[in-house]
Each structure stands twice: as C-alpha cells, then as structure tokens.
Amino acid sequence: MGSSLSGCCGLNNTEKGANMVAGARTSWRIFTYKELEAATNGFSEENKLGEGGFGCVYWGKTNDGLQIAVKKLKAMNSKAEMEFAVEVEVLGRVRHKNLLGLRGYCVGTDQRLIVYDYMPNLSLLSHLHGQFAAQVHLDWRRRMKIVIGSAEGLLYLHHEVTPHIIHRDIKASNILLDSDFEPLVADFGFAKLIPEGVSHMTTRVKGTLGYLAPEYAMWGKVSESCDVYSFGILLLEILTGRKPIEKLPGGVKRTITEWAEPLIIQGKFKDLADPKLGGNFNENQLTQAINVAALCVQNDPDKRPNMKEVVSMLKGYDPRGKVIQNRIESAKYNDELLALDQTSDDDDDNGGDSCDMEKNGYSVFGSMEVQKK
C-alpha cells in the first residue's frame, strides 16, 4: 500500500495491491459496493455481527465462497475518516500469522468499508465473558496458545515492521480466534506509526479503560510500553477469567490488578486461576505467566519488559537474567477516570467502551455475537 489513503482511493475497483513485508507478500483488492452488498445480503440485520461507535460489522460470503467480515462505517466525519485511513494503512503494511490482515476495502462517495477474513470462533471476549463462556472452550492449552500468539503479534508490531506500530487498544474483544483458536490481533483504527528514533509521543487518549497504561490515561504519553501494559492486563484476564474492571456491591469499581495484587504478594498463584478451568492447568506455567503479567503492569513504564522479553519469558526463558519479582506495584485509576467506565453486568459481549476523551465509542469487534454458518 502507499503511504496515504488518497493514493488508494484512486485505484480501479478491480485492481489488486501487494506489498512486501518481512519477506512475505500481502495482497488485497478493491471491492465494489455492489459486491459487498450482495455478499452480506444487503447488509441485513441477520448478517450483523456487531455494532460500535464508528460502524457495524457484517458477515458475508463472496461469489467464490469466501467467508468475510465487512466493517461499514456509519458516518463519514473527519474522525471516522481518519480511523479508516489509519486502519487500511496499517493493515496494508503488516503480515503476521497473529495479526488480522486486510482482505480488501471499498471507497465510495459516502461509503467506507474494510473487508477482513471471517473468524469462526469470534473474539476472546465472547469465550471469557460472553456467549461461549459457560461452554468452557478455553482449556489451559488453548489459553496459553492465545497468550503466546497475541504476544508474538505485538512483538512483530513493535520490533519487526518498519515503522514500528503501537496498537493502543489491546483488549479481549480485539483478539479474534480462528477455527483452531489461533489468535489474531485486530482493529487497528487507533494505531500509531512510530518514526525511527522516536521513543514516545504525546497524543489524545484513545483505548479502553481498564487496559490503559497510567501514563497514557492521565497524560497522553504513548509508547510501545503502553501496549505492554495493556497486554499485561489481558494476560491477567485470560489467566483469571476476571474482567479488567468489575463492579462490587454498592457500585464500587475494582480493577483486576487491585484484586490480584494481594494474592500475588502472598504467592497464592493457584487462587488466581480461572475457576472454570477446574484446577486443570500447569502450575509452573501459571506461576511464570502471572509473574510476567506483574512485570507488564508496573506503574513505571521503564520497569516493564519489552515484547521480545515478554515472549521469551512466556516460553520459559528469562532474558533479564534474574528471578522475576512477584509484586505488581501497579497504579490505580483515580475516581475521575473510573467514572468514565460505562460497563455493566449486561456488557459481557461488547468489551467495554473504548475511551476517547472527546467522545466515547467502542470497537466494532467488541460486540460480535452471532456465529454464521
């Protein structure tokens, strides 16, 4: 892909694109609106997979039998246009087995649509807290597969693609699962491309409360370490089965780190494991993964590992050459930030609201509910 969306928009509707990334060839094509309308049965309600602040996602099937997910923007305001441009730009650059790639897109006078491969097992969120949670499809082996695959996808974004990419919205609803429960990191609408030699940037806060690193949530300082923090929260969520922010009786809100920290300090790792696992987990792997999560969610971003170190530690190596500390020392959101959290007990399938300090919205992948055949 080119470096700007405007260059893409002028392509003929039948033209295909390709880009060499990390030795692999990525390909996409331009779809016509009529093609996608036909594939999704006229963007019918029956085909709707989810709806978010910027649009809807529909299941579809092309004439050649390919199952697709089509993200259709609701309105073409400047914010939606920017998200569309960023996502197409990023998806056109990346190629990794644990990143959801670009199948194609459609640009019309007043329409913007992005086409992805359809993921039959929907999102990680639907299995942890949503419609599939009671069926316990996620045994220990699958959970560790999802953990390591997601970490490797982030490692690629941070260290292997040029320019480096910060995702900015790592959460359970943005981890999609294919038919083999292989994880794919999705939804790059908030992503930032980081120029060579730049370690951090200051920007408007976007993302999902509960996963946001404290320095980003409070001061807008974004760096690769912010994704590391979000991954640490995601890791705790996968291991424990708990939400990043939960409501207690009386309306009090508690973060997953506030709940986990006392148990981690006391070394009660088995008490942290998701009860739905029924005790069927590898205790050594659990201890290692909890320790990795504790490192990732440190208050000081300089104390957090990078994603190369995270992947190595999750695979049983400690590149830091020392025993991992078993204390979180994490920051706690202040009351003003917690007040922005709009999740409720009925929000199990929507992944929580993504946080934009100008206007709240959430990932269109967050509310995927219907599995199409």
Side-chain angles (χ1 to χ4, degrees), residues 21-22 24 26 93-101 148-157 160 182-185:
V21 180
T26 68
R93 288 177 177 270
V94 302
R95 181 67 172 177
H96 189 276
K97 67 182 181 67
N98 295 116
L99 300 178
L100 184 66
I148 293 175
S150 301
E152 289 180 333
L154 276 176
L155 184 158
Y156 171 84
L157 292 177
E160 296 178 7
E182 188 73 39
L184 292 95
V185 178

Side-chain angles (χ1 to χ4, degrees), residues 180-194:
D180 295 321
F181 285 87
E182 188 73 39
L184 292 95
V185 178
D187 207 334
F188 292 87
F190 291 167
K192 279 284 185 184
L193 278 64
I194 305 300

Side-chain angles (χ1 to χ4, degrees), residues 6 50 64 77 81 84 87 127 146 176 189 229 236 294 342 355:
S6 59
D64 56 3
N77 54 41
E81 183 81 51
F84 176 83
E87 185 154 15
H127 291 271
I146 292 167
L176 304 188
Y229 183 95
L236 284 174
Q342 301 298 319
C355 177

Side-chain angles (χ1 to χ4, degrees), residues 105-372:
Y105 65 89
C106 172
V107 174
T109 303
D110 57 353
Q111 299 289 350
R112 300 288 186 274
L113 303 97
I114 305 179
V115 183
Y116 319 85
D117 288 321
Y118 171 69
M119 294 294 112
N121 280 313
L122 305 186
S123 72
L124 174 60
L125 181 82
S126 66
H127 291 271
L128 288 176
H129 311 301
Q131 66 190 98
F132 301 129
Q135 301 175 36
V136 196
H137 292 150
L138 299 183
D139 59 14
W140 182 253
R141 182 187 63 82
R142 282 179 174 168
R143 292 188 195 218
M144 291 309 296
K145 178 180 182 179
I146 292 167
V147 164
I148 293 175
S150 301
E152 289 180 333
L154 276 176
L155 184 158
Y156 171 84
L157 292 177
H158 289 184
H159 300 283
E160 296 178 7
V161 69
T162 302
H164 299 168
I165 296 170
I166 301 173
H167 187 281
R168 288 208 297 169
D169 202 16
I170 295 298
K171 59 181 179 179
S173 60
N174 282 341
I175 306 298
L176 304 188
L177 304 172
D178 71 8
S179 57
D180 295 321
F181 285 87
E182 188 73 39
L184 292 95
V185 178
D187 207 334
F188 292 87
F190 291 167
K192 279 284 185 184
L193 278 64
I194 305 300
E196 189 70 28
V198 175
S199 61
H200 68 275
M201 305 171 69
T202 301
T203 182
R204 179 177 296 119
V205 177
K206 294 185 177 182
T208 302
L209 200 63
Y211 296 92
L212 295 181
E215 72 276 8
Y216 180 44
M218 292 185 281
W219 301 297
K221 294 181 179 178
V222 63
S223 67
E224 293 163 356
S225 187
C226 294
D227 279 352
V228 174
Y229 183 95
S230 300
F231 177 79
I233 298 296
L234 177 70
L235 178 52
L236 284 174
E237 186 177 4
I238 293 171
L239 299 173
T240 68
R242 288 181 173 261
K243 298 178 182 179
I245 297 177
E246 60 182 356
K247 284 186 177 180
L248 303 179
V252 177
K253 295 178 181 179
R254 178 175 64 184
T255 66
I256 194 171
T257 55
E258 290 176 287
W259 169 79
E261 186 168 9
L263 295 172
I264 293 176
I265 291 172
Q266 298 170 44
K268 296 182 178 180
F269 297 109
K270 289 192 287 187
D271 292 344
L272 289 159
D274 189 343
K276 291 195 292 292
L277 289 168
N280 297 315
F281 54 83
N282 182 305
E283 191 171 343
N284 290 333
Q285 289 181 342
L286 173 67
T287 299
Q288 180 76 349
I290 290 291
N291 278 322
V292 172
L295 279 175
C296 290
V297 298
Q298 295 301 303
N299 182 32
D300 184 350
D302 292 333
K303 291 183 178 179
R304 298 173 202 152
N306 61 43
M307 289 310 301
K308 284 185 177 180
E309 293 173 322
V310 167
V311 170
S312 294
M313 288 186 286
L314 288 172
K315 291 182 175 180
Y317 305 100
D318 184 2
R320 294 187 168 199
K322 62 181 180 181
V323 177
I324 301 173
Q325 64 187 44
N326 60 344
R327 184 177 179 85
I328 288 185
E329 298 178 353
S330 65
K332 295 176 177 61
Y333 293 124
N334 59 34
D335 291 340
E336 184 178 352
L337 282 175
L338 281 175
L340 293 175
D341 176 57
Q342 301 298 319
T343 56
S344 69
D345 293 336
D346 299 325
D347 290 337
D348 289 342
D349 289 321
N350 69 21
D353 283 349
S354 290
C355 177
D356 184 332
M357 292 307 181
E358 286 189 342
K359 182 178 180 181
N360 287 342
Y362 59 83
S363 160
V364 291
F365 287 107
S367 54
M368 281 188 167
E369 296 179 353
V370 182
Q371 184 171 7
K372 300 293 180 179

Side-chain angles (χ1 to χ4, degrees), residues 6-28:
S6 59
C8 303
C9 297
L11 293 175
N12 181 278
N13 281 341
T14 61
E15 188 168 347
K16 295 183 178 180
N19 194 32
M20 291 301 296
V21 180
R25 178 169 290 272
T26 68
S27 61
W28 45 264

Side-chain angles (χ1 to χ4, degrees), residues 29-43 58-62 68-71 104-107 112-115:
R29 77 177 183 88
I30 308 298
F31 287 84
T32 65
Y33 186 82
K34 287 185 178 180
E35 280 183 283
L36 298 181
E37 188 175 38
T40 59
N41 193 25
F43 300 103
Y58 298 86
W59 173 84
K61 182 179 283 189
T62 62
I68 56 175
V70 182
K71 179 178 178 180
Y105 65 89
C106 172
V107 174
R112 300 288 186 274
L113 303 97
I114 305 179
V115 183

